[in-house]
Amino acid sequence: MGRPPNPIANTNNATGRLAERLRNGMALRNLTYRQLAESTVYHPSTLQRAADGKTVSSWPVVEKFALACDLDLKEVKALWKAASAERRVRRVPRVKPVGVEQIHSYTELGIYLADLRERKGSPSYRLMERRALAHWKWFGRLPHSTAQRLGTRQISRPTLNQTRAFLLGCNIPADDHGDLVRAWHRADATYKQDQTRQTGGPRPEHAADEYSNTREREILKTVQAMKTVQALGYVPMEAFRGQQQPWSVICRSCGRNRRIRLDWETKRQQQPGVKPMRCKACEDAPTANSAFADDCFPHEVEVSGRGLAR
């Protein structure tokens, strides 16, 4: 039998009451941390920290702990919310975030992201890293150290990909990132405006105007890229992300799925001896499968600025 757990330092605060309730549940079920770990997905040391009365674990850990001990989830969640709120007050002064439509600076964005993570149950930073890993091809990796710095407002100027990976770590799907993507662009435009003022360059009247101009340039680049990739003999299968970024397309000649870089593919087809409108796999074929292209792609893809660039 292992040694008895250390006594809870303070049972008068919310953190201590939560730990006491979890320990009582273990005692009623006559469970050890090792036995508790067998019915959950967490290590015994993780479960032990959840009931030590010193820290507040994330809600998924506390929830599995309570379910294994047959505790009332509503009661435990109320205790966990009170302990989380108490911990926030002790850690840093509470700063009320502005609405997402009112974000115009990186400081406001950082406060909003930190509050968003807490509203989503304060998932652990390693869990956020695992959630974002499924989308690393689009937004890059989110190391747990980076997630921790974002969650504690230690990164003064996060990139757009870092922001979107953080949202994925908070279990927010990519299709719901629109408002925060626009908020990031406003914050970035404000930052660039401040930098321009410091260097004595041209001063846009409003950060929103710079964001609008930037967005318009992105749409024009996307429209031109759509025309170029169709002229090269491909049908795009995803949004355009840049000349030097991998792009999923389908070859109109052979129907194969390909991953191309637009700048490389343009140079390749301009080389002497290379057959135009052929991918690298089918350029040496004796005849092109034009019937395939006519049957599968009877119409040209509509070139529009809507929905092409995220």
Side-chain angles (χ1 to χ4, degrees):
M1 183 175 179
R3 66 178 183 178
N6 294 325
I8 299 173
N10 185 3
T11 58
N12 294 323
N13 59 22
T15 304
R17 289 193 294 271
L18 173 63
E20 186 178 37
R21 188 70 188 95
L22 295 177
R23 289 191 183 187
N24 289 341
M26 281 184 62
L28 290 174
R29 295 276 294 172
N30 196 24
L31 294 172
T32 65
Y33 288 111
R34 290 189 179 277
Q35 293 170 339
L36 196 62
E38 293 176 358
S39 58
T40 65
V41 296
Y42 298 104
H43 193 271
S45 59
T46 302
L47 299 170
Q48 188 173 2
R49 282 194 298 271
D52 62 4
K54 300 177 182 178
T55 60
V56 182
S57 298
S58 63
W59 171 243
V61 175
V62 177
E63 181 183 27
K64 293 294 184 182
F65 197 122
L67 289 173
C69 296
D70 290 334
L71 297 176
D72 185 4
L73 277 184
K74 290 185 178 179
E75 176 190 359
V76 174
K77 190 161 190 177
L79 290 171
W80 175 82
K81 286 184 176 180
S84 298
E86 182 184 71
R87 180 169 175 260
R88 287 196 299 268
V89 172
R90 290 200 309 263
R91 185 180 57 206
V92 291
R94 180 65 173 168
V95 181
K96 185 177 180 180
V98 299
V100 67
E101 298 295 337
Q102 299 173 321
I103 294 174
H104 287 88
S105 70
Y106 281 120
T107 301
E108 294 171 340
L109 179 64
I111 294 172
Y112 187 91
L113 291 177
D115 180 77
L116 178 66
R117 174 179 173 268
E118 293 172 354
R119 286 189 281 112
K120 290 297 181 178
S122 297
S124 69
Y125 296 116
R126 290 188 182 276
L127 175 60
M128 295 177 67
E129 180 181 12
R130 292 194 297 270
R131 286 175 176 174
L133 188 61
H135 305 271
W136 71 270
K137 290 185 178 179
W138 291 272
F139 308 116
R141 300 182 185 275
L142 179 71
H144 62 272
S145 58
T146 302
Q148 188 268 339
R149 292 174 63 202
L150 281 169
T152 54
R153 309 202 304 270
Q154 295 180 34
I155 296 182
S156 59
R157 189 188 176 194
T159 66
L160 180 58
N161 281 348
Q162 285 176 340
T163 302
R164 299 196 67 176
F166 188 88
L167 296 178
L168 291 170
C170 292
N171 217 17
I172 299 177
D175 292 340
D176 297 337
H177 292 184
D179 289 340
L180 272 164
V181 168
R182 288 187 285 273
W184 183 91
H185 279 290
R186 290 194 300 271
D188 189 62
T190 302
Y191 174 83
K192 291 178 179 177
Q193 180 185 12
D194 293 341
Q195 293 296 108
T196 301
R197 286 174 177 171
Q198 293 176 8
T199 57
R203 302 178 181 180
E205 294 183 359
H206 301 287
D209 294 339
E210 184 173 343
Y211 164 70
S212 178
N213 294 335
T214 302
R215 180 63 176 167
E216 184 177 354
R217 288 194 296 270
E218 290 179 355
I219 292 175
L220 291 176
K221 288 180 181 178
T222 301
V223 171
Q224 183 60 43
M226 294 291 288
K227 292 179 179 179
T228 302
V229 79
Q230 291 183 46
L232 294 175
Y234 297 104
V235 175
M237 300 303 293
E238 62 179 357
F240 174 69
R241 294 182 290 119
Q243 290 275 344
Q244 299 178 350
Q245 298 296 323
W247 198 1
S248 294
V249 297
I250 290 181
C251 176
R252 295 178 65 93
S253 178
C254 65
R256 290 185 176 93
N257 291 322
R258 306 288 296 173
R259 291 279 284 176
I260 66 169
R261 267 182 50 169
L262 192 58
D263 55 346
W264 287 358
E265 185 63 22
T266 302
K267 292 179 181 179
R268 187 188 70 83
Q269 293 203 18
Q270 291 175 351
Q271 293 176 359
V274 175
K275 297 180 180 179
M277 301 186 70
R278 302 283 191 277
C279 69
K280 194 171 182 180
C282 69
E283 63 179 354
D284 296 328
T287 57
N289 191 358
S290 58
F292 174 86
D294 294 338
D295 291 341
C296 296
F297 310 108
H299 305 290
E300 292 293 328
V301 176
E302 180 182 359
V303 176
S304 171
R306 298 177 57 187
L308 297 180
R310 296 181 180 179

